[in-house]
């Protein structure tokens, strides 16, 4: 038995669910933070622009009046300077005030002329190549976000050109984005709490659902165990979900079929033994009698030997039929077929039985029924000629066997255009097959009248073999009333047709 390795379905569901939901939740959160960040960055840039624009004129005045821009910037109290935000203050949203900006003024040659925060501006390198400064010195406003060399923070820079008598200066305002993107600490806590709550709920629900499913699967496991032990009457008690309930019902159906097959197998074994035993008993009985002295009487000995011979032939016939059946059932393989004209093949089979029919004074006639278009010339089907010959031969043989002397057996071929198939029927004037036996006669060894069949050398396997052969040709074999409703049997073979010629 295989070792029961692998992860339990409950654990699998739990881990997968948790993983997927956590990933989804984190993704949403990240998207949210990113969009908050984007909006805040835009707003920060706008604030820097508004503030800067209101500030450039003051800087221009300081430069034109030859004032020390650096000390002015350091002394300047933005919060209290009246009129700085006049007209634009209402647009000025945000979590910072003017004094949180760092302001840098850069001369046309890139040298820093003043900085609100850096003490010794002479140590600062030339700013000419900074993206936003380069834009401002060329007369345009420019912005940039990059890591500050001082604080290692992401910083937003916004630079504006200032037209002075000494040329275009640049006024640059900057603010660390961490200050601008305001994310209150308690909202982080809130997110953590929500996530925990979601996780607990999911874990709980996953546990309940998977426990339910696992319980139902265990029921199926128990059921299959019952079937394995041969208790085919066990019923599925799975209550849901739908798929598992269906699986349970399917298993029940399969078990019923298994039970039937098991019965068929048992019947077959007992039938075969019985069928073989009858001739063997007879052979051994007559042989013993011969050995006991009957061999001395030549006539009696001859008679007994003839009986023994007949019984041996009977044994051979049964064994041959059994081998044919087992060949047909082997691997459920389809026989090799070729395109053949059914009219021709049926004609040949009939010819083969003409002498046997004549010995009983039976007239075996072959009739091709006209199709709507006119006289049929050929009807092509995919046939394994040898097997088809055997199937049709069994039907004609039975018809001759089971109908009285001096009657007629008709073998008719008819093309049914609407179904694109051909019907080959064999009709006789015998006792016919009562309706209640019409399915059973195709079972192995089933005979309506056992004694009569045996007397005629029947093995009880002919119809079963014929049905197998026709099924392997994708056709059908059944028995029905004669077309003219007179007494007698009518066996019909139906085969799919490839083409016809008229
Ligand atoms: P068997 O070797 O006994 O003929 P089959 O499988 O060919 O075995 O037929 C099964 C049974 O069907 C026969 O024993 C017989 O009772 C019945 N049967 C078959 N063909 C006919 C027929 N043409 N007329 C009457 N009964 C038939």
């Amino acid at each position: 038995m295989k070792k029961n390795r692998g992860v339990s379905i409950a654990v699998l569901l739990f881990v997968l669910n948790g993983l997927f939901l956590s990933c989804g939740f984190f993704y949403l959160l990240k998207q949210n933070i990113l969009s908050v960040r984007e909006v805040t960055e835009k707003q920060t840039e706008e604030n820097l622009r508004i503030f800067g624009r209101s500030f450039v004129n003051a800087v221009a005045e300081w430069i034109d009046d030859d004032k020390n821009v650096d000390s002015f910037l350091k002394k300047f109290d933005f919060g209290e300077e009246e009129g700085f935000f006049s007209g634009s203050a209402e647009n000025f949203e945000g979590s910072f005030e003017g004094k949180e900006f760092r302001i840098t003024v850069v001369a046309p040659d890139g040298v820093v002329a003043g900085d609100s925060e850096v003490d010794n501006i002479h140590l600062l390198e030339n700013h000419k190549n900074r993206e936003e400064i380069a834009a401002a010195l060329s007369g345009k406003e420019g912005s940039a976000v990059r890591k500050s060399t001082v604080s290692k923070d992401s910083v937003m820079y916004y630079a504006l050109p200032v037209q002075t008598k000494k040329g275009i200066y640049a006024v640059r305002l900057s603010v660390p984005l961490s200050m601008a993107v305001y994310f209150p600490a308690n909202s982080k806590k809130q997110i953590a709490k929500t996530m925990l709550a979601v996780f607990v709920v999911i874990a709980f629900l996953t546990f309940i659902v998977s426990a339910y499913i696992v319980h139902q699967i265990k029921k199926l496991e128990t059921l299959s165990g019952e079937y394995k032990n041969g208790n085919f009457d066990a019923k599925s008690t799975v209550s849901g979900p739908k798929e598992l309930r269906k699986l349970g019902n399917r298993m029940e159906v399969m078990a019923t079929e298994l039970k039937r097959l098991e019965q068929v197998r048992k019947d077959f074994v007992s039938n075969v033994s019985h069928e073989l035993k009858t001739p063997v008993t007879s052979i051994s009985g007559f042989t013993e009698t011969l050995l006991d002295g009957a061999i001395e009487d030549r006539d009696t000995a001859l008679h007994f030997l003839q009986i023994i011979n007949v019984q041996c032939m009977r044994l051979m016939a049964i064994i041959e039929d059994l081998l044919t059946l087992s060949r047909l059932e082997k691997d459920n393989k389809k026989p090799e077929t070729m395109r053949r004209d059914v009219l021709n093949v049926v004609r040949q089979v009939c010819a083969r039985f003409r002498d046997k029919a004549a010995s009983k004074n039976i007239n075996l006639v072959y009739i091709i029924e006209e199709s709507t278009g006119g006289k049929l010339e050929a009807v092509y089907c995919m046939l394994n000629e040898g097997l088809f010959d055997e199937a049709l031969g069994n039907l004609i043989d039975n018809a001759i066997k089971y109908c009285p002397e001096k009657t007629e057996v008709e073998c008719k071929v008819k093309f049914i255009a609407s179904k694109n198939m051909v019907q080959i029927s064999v009709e006789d004037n015998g006792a016919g097959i009562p309706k209640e036996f019409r399915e059973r006669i195709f079972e192995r060894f089933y005979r309506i009248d056992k004694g009569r069949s045996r007397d005629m050398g029947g093995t009880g396997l002919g119809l079963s073999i014929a049905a197998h052969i026709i099924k392997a040709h994708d056709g059908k074999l059944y028995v029905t009333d004669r077309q003219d409703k007179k007494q007698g049997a009518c066996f019909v073979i139906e085969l799919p047709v490839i083409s016809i010629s008229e």
Side-chain angles (χ1 to χ4, degrees), residues 334-335 337 382 468-476 494-496:
K334 290 241 168 204
T337 56
M382 293 306 290
H468 256 87
I469 293 174
I470 300 305
K471 197 171 162 217
H473 280 80
D474 296 322
K476 257 195 321 192
E494 280 181 7
L495 287 178

Side-chain angles (χ1 to χ4, degrees), residues 40-258:
T40 320
E41 274 184 27
K42 276 205 182 118
Q43 189 60 53
T44 307
E45 191 183 337
E46 180 69 13
N47 289 344
L48 292 178
R49 182 187 303 121
I50 293 165
F51 185 80
R53 281 182 187 169
S54 66
F55 190 62
V56 285
N57 290 341
V59 175
E61 259 175 47
W62 297 338
I63 293 167
D64 286 344
D65 295 351
D66 267 341
K67 296 214 167 108
N68 184 333
V69 177
D70 189 42
S71 58
F72 256 87
L73 281 176
K74 286 190 171 87
K75 273 187 283 175
F76 201 72
D77 186 347
F78 301 97
E80 282 165 20
E81 185 66 4
E82 291 251 343
F84 243 46
F85 305 119
S86 57
S88 55
E90 66 270 20
N91 297 328
F92 196 84
E93 291 173 19
S95 58
F96 45 73
E97 291 169 2
K99 59 187 161 196
E100 284 164 355
F101 299 149
R102 173 186 163 200
I103 300 170
T104 314
V105 175
V106 181
D109 56 2
V111 173
V112 177
D115 193 290
S116 61
E117 278 175 20
V118 178
D119 289 339
N120 195 349
I121 57 167
H122 305 294
L123 295 179
L124 287 171
E125 58 187 41
N126 192 300
H127 272 42
K128 202 160 68 180
N129 291 330
R130 307 268 152 98
E131 191 188 339
E132 70 287 355
I133 301 283
L137 292 180
S138 68
K140 284 177 261 156
E141 296 184 3
S143 70
V145 174
R146 63 174 175 270
K147 286 243 154 82
S148 159
T149 45
V150 187
S151 64
K152 303 278 181 255
D153 241 0
S154 256
V155 176
M156 173 168 281
Y157 297 96
Y158 198 88
L160 306 97
V162 183
Q163 188 64 55
T164 71
K165 287 176 193 154
K166 294 175 191 164
I168 299 178
Y169 273 64
V171 169
R172 185 185 73 178
L173 300 100
S174 58
V175 66
L177 277 172
S178 60
M179 254 161 105
V181 182
Y182 179 67
F183 217 58
N186 65 346
S187 79
K188 277 186 196 161
K189 258 191 212 157
Q190 193 56 46
I191 289 170
K193 269 192 207 159
T194 315
M195 272 198 72
L196 191 72
V198 168
F199 197 78
V200 169
V201 171
I202 289 168
F204 182 66
L205 290 179
T206 308
F207 178 75
I208 293 189
V209 170
S210 49
Y212 173 68
I213 293 176
V214 169
H215 181 59
Q216 303 303 323
I217 292 176
K218 287 235 166 83
K219 284 185 185 172
L220 286 175
E221 201 185 334
T222 316
L223 187 67
S224 71
E226 291 283 336
Y227 293 154
K228 192 177 146 224
N229 294 333
N231 178 14
F232 297 119
D233 291 326
K235 293 273 175 275
S236 162
T237 52
V238 175
S239 53
K242 205 167 84 186
E243 291 77 7
L244 291 186
R245 211 175 48 232
K246 262 191 193 167
L247 186 61
N249 294 344
R250 286 265 162 83
M251 281 169 71
E252 269 182 23
V253 173
M254 274 167 65
T256 312
E257 178 66 2
L258 277 176

